[in-house]
């Protein structure tokens, strides 16, 4: 912790058995406008309500309300011996989240992937439950809902800007489901529904991605790789991805363009069969 100010009610108990040099402890903090700034985190964190529990086994939360920037979260649960069982709810500002994900609190794998996301902005209302290893937060996320509000970002692998994204994403142990997601891909308005399986495929059964995409006018040029494309988003990288996933997609575009060709009333069904795109 870099700085810590404010007041709070603290209860603390420590015990040591006879003949031992180590001791165990437990305690709780009921903050009263306590403000802290962790090392490596650019924003301060204010704790307004609830209780922070701590012991030699780990940390716990009881309706702990924290604020950072325009984010407000309520935490319940515990983090002990490398495992977390935590529920979170509130409003999350994505710029604040990006700052937090750069901090030492987060695993190196996530910090390594973070620079691949650019121009991140927007907010999300979240209700999530986590149960699993701290080192693997993606699989520890078990269920919940995320309501996206004016979310924008660019991922370097695709190279396209997704902006103004709104809609609901629901999460279960088996799937991530999106219904009526609306946004813009490089200026083209799109509506997307679909689901992504979270369970690993067994044998020849690969994880699946189901998509339904519609747009009143869509420019395909920024999205598709060039004929002789190289780099991360090329036909070769697309083929490698298709060998790992089962894809089932339906596309309806009222009007659009690809290279010098204009089209209208475009409909397509796209599936993977025998590691080929049909």
């Amino acid at each position: 912790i870099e700085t810590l100010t404010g007041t709070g009610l603290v209860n603390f108990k420590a015990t040591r058995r006879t003949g031992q040099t180590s001791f165990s402890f437990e305690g709780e903090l009921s903050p009263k406008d306590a403000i802290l700034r962790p090392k490596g985190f650019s924003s301060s964190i204010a704790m307004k309500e609830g209780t922070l529990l701590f012991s030699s086994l780990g940390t716990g939360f009881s309706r702990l309300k924290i604020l950072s920037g325009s984010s407000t979260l309520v935490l319940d649960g515990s983090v002990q011996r490398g495992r977390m069982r935590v529920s979170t709810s509130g409003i999350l500002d994505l710029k604040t989240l990006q700052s937090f994900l750069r901090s030492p609190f987060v695993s190196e794998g996530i910090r390594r992937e973070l620079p691949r996301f650019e121009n991140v902005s927007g907010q999300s209302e979240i209700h999530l439950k986590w149960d699993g290893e701290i080192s693997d937060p993606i699989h520890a996320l078990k269920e919940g809902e995320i309501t996206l509000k004016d979310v924008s970002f660019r991922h370097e692998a695709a190279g396209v800007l997704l902006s103004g994204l709104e809609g609901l994403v629901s999460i279960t142990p088996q799937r991530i489901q999106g219904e009526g997601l609306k946004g813009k891909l490089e200026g083209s308005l799109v509506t997307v529904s679909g689901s992504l399986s979270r369970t690993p495929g067994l044998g020849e059964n690969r994880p699946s991605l189901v998509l339904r995409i519609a747009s009143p006018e869509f420019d395909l040029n920024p999205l598709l790789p060039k004929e002789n494309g190289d780099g991360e988003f090329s036909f070769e990288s697309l083929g490698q991805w298709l060998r790992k996933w089962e894809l089932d997609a339906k596309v309806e575009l009222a009007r659009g363009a690809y290279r010098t060709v204009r089209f209208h009333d475009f409909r397509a069904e796209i599936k993977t069969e025998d590691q080929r795109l049909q």
Side-chain angles (χ1 to χ4, degrees), residues 127-261:
H127 301 276
L128 303 173
K129 291 185 178 180
W130 314 73
D131 188 354
E133 301 296 325
I134 298 175
S135 59
D136 190 6
I138 301 300
H139 290 95
L141 178 57
K142 296 304 180 184
E143 60 179 306
E145 292 185 345
I146 302 174
T147 303
L148 305 174
K149 299 179 179 180
D150 197 24
V151 171
S152 300
F153 65 89
R154 186 192 303 273
H155 192 276
E156 69 173 25
V160 294
L161 177 65
L162 179 61
S163 61
L165 181 62
E166 297 187 352
L168 176 66
V169 177
S170 57
I171 300 167
T172 68
Q174 292 78 33
R175 307 194 74 81
I176 299 175
Q177 184 93 22
E179 290 294 339
L181 300 174
K182 295 181 179 181
K184 290 184 177 181
L185 272 174
E186 293 292 345
S188 298
L189 180 64
V190 293
T191 300
V192 179
S193 297
S195 64
L196 175 70
S197 67
R198 303 184 67 198
T199 53
L202 299 176
E204 296 182 356
N205 296 322
R206 293 170 292 173
S208 64
L209 174 62
V210 178
L211 283 176
R212 302 293 180 261
I213 303 172
S215 174
E217 185 159 3
F218 196 85
D219 183 7
L220 287 169
N221 288 291
L223 187 62
L224 294 178
K226 306 301 181 185
E227 184 175 358
N228 296 315
D230 53 12
E232 286 201 73
F233 194 54
S234 62
F235 280 117
E236 181 179 357
S237 62
L238 181 61
Q240 292 174 350
W241 183 87
L242 290 171
R243 282 189 283 272
K244 300 176 183 177
W245 288 84
E246 291 290 347
L247 175 64
D248 181 358
K250 291 185 179 180
V251 181
E252 294 186 4
L253 309 178
R255 294 183 302 276
Y258 180 51
R259 298 183 185 173
T260 59
V261 177

Side-chain angles (χ1 to χ4, degrees), residues 16 18 47 65 70 76 86 94 101 103 109-110 129 176 190 206 211-212 231 245 247 260 268:
R16 186 179 67 183
T18 303
M47 296 184 290
K65 185 177 182 180
S70 57
D76 271 301
V86 178
L94 297 188
L101 293 178
S103 71
I110 293 179
K129 291 185 178 180
I176 299 175
V190 293
R206 293 170 292 173
L211 283 176
R212 302 293 180 261
W245 288 84
L247 175 64
T260 59

